[in-house]
Protein backbone atom coordinates (compact mmCIF):
# COMPACT_ATOMS: atom_id res chain seq x y z
CA UNK A 1 0.00 0.00 0.00
CA UNK A 2 2.89 2.38 0.72
CA UNK A 3 3.96 2.08 -2.92
CA UNK A 4 0.61 3.09 -4.40
CA UNK A 5 1.16 6.36 -6.21
CA UNK A 6 -1.86 8.58 -5.58
CA UNK A 7 -0.87 10.95 -8.37
CA UNK A 8 -1.11 8.13 -10.92
CA UNK A 9 -4.82 7.49 -10.38
CA UNK A 10 -6.48 4.31 -9.14
CA UNK A 11 -5.85 0.65 -10.06
CA UNK A 12 -7.74 -0.49 -13.15
CA UNK A 13 -8.65 -4.05 -14.13
CA UNK A 14 -7.05 -5.26 -17.37
CA UNK A 15 -9.17 -7.27 -19.81
CA UNK A 16 -6.85 -9.70 -21.57
CA UNK A 17 -7.27 -11.14 -25.05
CA UNK A 18 -4.42 -12.53 -27.10
CA UNK A 19 -5.49 -16.14 -27.67
CA UNK A 20 -6.90 -16.90 -24.21
CA UNK A 21 -10.08 -18.33 -25.75
CA UNK A 22 -8.08 -21.43 -26.71
CA UNK A 23 -6.33 -21.80 -23.34
CA UNK A 24 -7.54 -23.93 -20.43
CA UNK A 25 -8.43 -20.98 -18.22
CA UNK A 26 -11.37 -20.73 -15.82
CA UNK A 27 -12.99 -17.71 -14.19
CA UNK A 28 -10.79 -16.49 -11.37
CA UNK A 29 -7.58 -18.11 -12.63
CA UNK A 30 -6.19 -14.74 -13.78
CA UNK A 31 -6.06 -11.39 -12.02
CA UNK A 32 -4.52 -8.46 -13.90
CA UNK A 33 -4.55 -4.79 -12.92
CA UNK A 34 -2.87 -1.62 -14.08
CA UNK A 35 -1.56 -0.12 -10.84
CA UNK A 36 0.25 3.19 -10.22
CA UNK A 37 3.33 2.39 -8.11
CA UNK A 38 5.69 4.85 -6.52
CA UNK A 39 9.44 4.31 -6.97
CA UNK A 40 11.20 7.03 -5.00
CA UNK A 41 9.91 10.31 -6.44
CA UNK A 42 8.64 8.63 -9.60
CA UNK A 43 5.23 7.03 -10.12
CA UNK A 44 4.84 4.47 -12.92
CA UNK A 45 1.91 2.33 -13.94
CA UNK A 46 2.70 -1.38 -13.78
CA UNK A 47 0.64 -4.34 -14.93
CA UNK A 48 0.42 -6.53 -11.81
CA UNK A 49 -0.87 -10.01 -12.61
CA UNK A 50 -1.31 -13.41 -11.01
CA UNK A 51 -2.24 -16.75 -12.57
CA UNK A 52 -3.09 -20.22 -11.29
CA UNK A 53 -2.20 -22.63 -14.08
CA UNK A 54 -3.85 -25.83 -15.24
CA UNK A 55 -2.43 -29.11 -13.94
CA UNK A 56 -0.49 -29.83 -17.12
CA UNK A 57 0.88 -26.28 -17.38
CA UNK A 58 -0.15 -25.95 -21.03
CA UNK A 59 -2.06 -22.70 -20.42
CA UNK A 60 0.92 -20.94 -18.84
CA UNK A 61 2.59 -19.70 -22.03
CA UNK A 62 -0.65 -18.43 -23.64
CA UNK A 63 -1.55 -16.56 -20.45
CA UNK A 64 1.90 -15.00 -20.06
CA UNK A 65 1.82 -14.02 -23.73
CA UNK A 66 -1.60 -12.39 -23.30
CA UNK A 67 -0.32 -10.40 -20.32
CA UNK A 68 2.78 -9.33 -22.24
CA UNK A 69 0.76 -8.30 -25.29
CA UNK A 70 -1.65 -6.23 -23.21
CA UNK A 71 1.31 -4.58 -21.49
CA UNK A 72 3.00 -3.80 -24.81
CA UNK A 73 -0.22 -2.40 -26.30
CA UNK A 74 -0.87 -0.27 -23.21
CA UNK A 75 2.73 0.90 -22.66
CA UNK A 76 2.91 -0.87 -19.29
CA UNK A 77 5.59 -2.94 -17.61
CA UNK A 78 4.85 -6.34 -16.10
CA UNK A 79 5.27 -7.87 -12.66
CA UNK A 80 3.56 -11.27 -12.48
CA UNK A 81 3.39 -14.12 -10.00
CA UNK A 82 2.21 -17.49 -11.24
CA UNK A 83 1.85 -21.17 -10.58
CA UNK A 84 2.95 -22.19 -14.07
CA UNK A 85 2.79 -25.93 -13.34
CA UNK A 86 5.98 -26.55 -15.29
CA UNK A 87 7.64 -29.96 -15.06
CA UNK A 88 11.25 -31.04 -14.62
CA UNK A 89 10.96 -33.95 -17.06
CA UNK A 90 10.02 -33.35 -20.69
CA UNK A 91 7.05 -35.39 -21.87
CA UNK A 92 7.72 -36.68 -25.42
CA UNK A 93 3.99 -36.48 -26.12
CA UNK A 94 3.84 -32.85 -24.99
CA UNK A 95 1.08 -33.48 -22.46
CA UNK A 96 2.80 -31.39 -19.78
CA UNK A 97 4.76 -28.13 -19.96
CA UNK A 98 8.52 -28.70 -19.77
CA UNK A 99 10.35 -26.07 -17.71
CA UNK A 100 13.00 -25.58 -20.41
CA UNK A 101 10.33 -24.86 -23.01
CA UNK A 102 8.59 -22.38 -20.71
CA UNK A 103 11.82 -20.47 -20.05
CA UNK A 104 12.44 -20.19 -23.79
CA UNK A 105 8.88 -18.90 -24.30
CA UNK A 106 9.56 -16.02 -21.91
CA UNK A 107 12.23 -14.63 -24.24
CA UNK A 108 10.07 -14.62 -27.38
CA UNK A 109 7.51 -12.09 -28.58
CA UNK A 110 6.62 -8.59 -27.36
CA UNK A 111 7.74 -7.30 -23.97
CA UNK A 112 10.26 -10.05 -23.02
CA UNK A 113 10.09 -11.08 -19.38
CA UNK A 114 12.58 -12.63 -17.01
CA UNK A 115 12.20 -14.65 -13.81
CA UNK A 116 13.80 -13.97 -10.45
CA UNK A 117 15.31 -17.40 -9.81
CA UNK A 118 19.04 -18.02 -9.87
CA UNK A 119 20.82 -21.32 -10.43
CA UNK A 120 19.20 -24.21 -12.28
CA UNK A 121 15.59 -25.49 -12.33
CA UNK A 122 16.42 -28.36 -9.97
CA UNK A 123 17.02 -25.63 -7.34
CA UNK A 124 13.59 -24.13 -7.91
CA UNK A 125 11.43 -27.06 -6.72
CA UNK A 126 8.31 -25.65 -5.03
CA UNK A 127 6.11 -28.75 -4.75
CA UNK A 128 6.64 -32.07 -3.03
CA UNK A 129 3.60 -34.29 -2.70
CA UNK A 130 2.74 -37.88 -3.47
CA UNK A 131 -0.46 -39.87 -3.08
CA UNK A 132 -0.58 -42.36 -0.27
CA UNK A 133 -2.51 -45.65 -0.22
CA UNK A 134 -5.29 -43.97 1.76
CA UNK A 135 -7.12 -42.97 -1.42
CA UNK A 136 -8.97 -44.97 -4.09
CA UNK A 137 -6.55 -44.56 -7.04
CA UNK A 138 -3.99 -47.09 -5.84
CA UNK A 139 -2.21 -47.08 -9.21
CA UNK A 140 -1.09 -43.52 -8.38
CA UNK A 141 0.06 -44.28 -4.83
CA UNK A 142 3.75 -43.94 -3.94
CA UNK A 143 5.65 -45.82 -1.25
CA UNK A 144 7.01 -43.52 1.43
CA UNK A 145 10.63 -44.52 0.83
CA UNK A 146 10.25 -43.91 -2.93
CA UNK A 147 8.86 -40.37 -2.67
CA UNK A 148 12.07 -38.67 -3.83
CA UNK A 149 12.53 -40.80 -6.95
CA UNK A 150 9.04 -41.84 -8.05
CA UNK A 151 7.70 -40.38 -11.30
CA UNK A 152 4.30 -40.18 -9.62
CA UNK A 153 5.59 -37.68 -7.06
CA UNK A 154 4.80 -34.05 -7.86
CA UNK A 155 8.21 -32.53 -7.19
CA UNK A 156 8.64 -29.77 -9.75
CA UNK A 157 9.68 -26.14 -10.30
CA UNK A 158 6.22 -24.65 -10.70
CA UNK A 159 6.19 -21.14 -9.27
CA UNK A 160 7.67 -17.94 -10.69
CA UNK A 161 7.89 -14.19 -10.30
CA UNK A 162 8.16 -12.67 -13.77
CA UNK A 163 9.00 -9.09 -14.69
CA UNK A 164 9.67 -6.91 -17.71
CA UNK A 165 13.36 -7.12 -18.50
CA UNK A 166 13.37 -3.59 -19.88
CA UNK A 167 12.07 -2.00 -16.66
CA UNK A 168 13.21 -4.10 -13.70
CA UNK A 169 16.17 -6.06 -12.41
CA UNK A 170 16.54 -8.51 -9.54
CA UNK A 171 17.57 -6.88 -6.27
CA UNK A 172 17.40 -10.17 -4.34
CA UNK A 173 16.83 -13.55 -6.06
CA UNK A 174 13.81 -15.71 -5.40
CA UNK A 175 13.76 -17.59 -2.10
CA UNK A 176 11.50 -20.46 -1.06
CA UNK A 177 9.57 -20.97 2.17
CA UNK A 178 7.67 -24.19 2.97
CA UNK A 179 7.39 -23.62 6.71
CA UNK A 180 5.85 -20.17 7.16
CA UNK A 181 8.99 -19.21 9.05
CA UNK A 182 10.82 -17.60 6.11
CA UNK A 183 13.01 -20.63 5.41
CA UNK A 184 12.86 -23.77 3.28
CA UNK A 185 13.25 -27.27 4.70
CA UNK A 186 14.35 -29.86 2.15
CA UNK A 187 12.64 -33.23 1.92
CA UNK A 188 9.33 -32.50 3.64
CA UNK A 189 6.00 -33.32 2.03
CA UNK A 190 3.50 -30.55 1.36
CA UNK A 191 1.15 -29.56 2.81
CA UNK A 192 2.02 -30.07 6.48
CA UNK A 193 0.04 -29.61 9.68
CA UNK A 194 1.61 -26.16 10.11
CA UNK A 195 1.93 -25.11 6.44
CA UNK A 196 -1.41 -25.56 4.62
CA UNK A 197 -0.26 -24.99 1.02
CA UNK A 198 0.94 -27.69 -1.38
CA UNK A 199 3.26 -25.09 -2.99
CA UNK A 200 6.12 -23.28 -1.32
CA UNK A 201 5.98 -19.49 -0.98
CA UNK A 202 8.29 -17.68 -3.41
CA UNK A 203 9.56 -14.19 -2.55
CA UNK A 204 11.91 -11.85 -4.38
CA UNK A 205 12.82 -8.15 -4.52
CA UNK A 206 12.92 -6.20 -7.76
CA UNK A 207 14.55 -2.88 -8.52
CA UNK A 208 13.43 -0.33 -11.12
CA UNK A 209 16.14 0.09 -13.73
CA UNK A 210 17.67 3.52 -14.05
CA UNK A 211 16.48 5.43 -17.09
CA UNK A 212 19.10 5.55 -19.88
Amino acid sequence: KARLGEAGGVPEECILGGGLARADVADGDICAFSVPLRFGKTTKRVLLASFHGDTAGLASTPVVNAVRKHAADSDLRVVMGLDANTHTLEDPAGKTKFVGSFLKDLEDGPEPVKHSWEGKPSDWITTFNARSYLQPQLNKAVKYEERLVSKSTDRNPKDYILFSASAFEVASPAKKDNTGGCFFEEGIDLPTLTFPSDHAIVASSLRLRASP
Side-chain angles (χ1 to χ4, degrees), residues 74-181:
S74 306
D75 194 26
L76 297 172
R77 300 298 174 260
V78 175
V79 175
M80 182 177 186
L82 73 159
D83 164 13
N85 272 325
T86 48
H87 293 71
T88 303
L89 300 178
E90 186 170 10
D91 179 8
K95 293 182 178 180
T96 57
K97 188 66 177 182
F98 175 50
V99 60
S101 173
F102 179 67
L103 296 178
K104 185 178 182 302
D105 294 341
L106 300 181
E107 301 173 0
D108 298 332
E111 193 58 36
V113 292
K114 290 186 175 181
H115 60 81
S116 58
W117 290 109
E118 64 177 0
K120 52 190 183 300
S122 59
D123 300 324
W124 313 343
I125 302 297
T126 54
T127 61
F128 186 10
N129 54 75
R131 295 185 187 226
S132 73
Y133 287 89
L134 297 176
Q135 48 88 37
Q137 293 180 295
L138 296 183
N139 60 311
K140 297 181 180 180
V142 178
K143 293 181 179 179
Y144 183 81
E145 62 271 18
E146 296 177 356
R147 289 155 33 253
L148 283 170
V149 296
S150 173
K151 291 183 179 179
S152 296
T153 298
D154 179 7
R155 191 167 180 267
N156 292 289
K158 293 192 169 185
D159 300 278
Y160 300 83
I161 296 171
L162 307 180
F163 57 92
S164 295
S166 62
F168 299 99
E169 59 188 3
V170 176
S172 61
K175 294 183 179 180
K176 303 183 292 185
D177 175 6
N178 62 355
T179 65

Side-chain angles (χ1 to χ4, degrees), residues 28-96:
D29 282 348
I30 307 171
C31 291
F33 292 87
S34 168
V35 180
L37 295 182
R38 186 166 58 246
F39 300 91
K41 297 181 179 180
T42 303
T43 297
K44 292 183 177 293
R45 275 200 169 265
V46 176
L47 198 166
L48 295 183
S50 66
F51 173 59
H52 175 261
D54 59 304
T55 301
L58 299 180
S60 296
T61 290
V63 168
V64 172
N65 285 346
V67 170
R68 293 161 62 189
K69 184 178 186 306
H70 186 92
D73 292 345
S74 306
D75 194 26
L76 297 172
R77 300 298 174 260
V78 175
V79 175
M80 182 177 186
L82 73 159
D83 164 13
N85 272 325
T86 48
H87 293 71
T88 303
L89 300 178
E90 186 170 10
D91 179 8
K95 293 182 178 180
T96 57

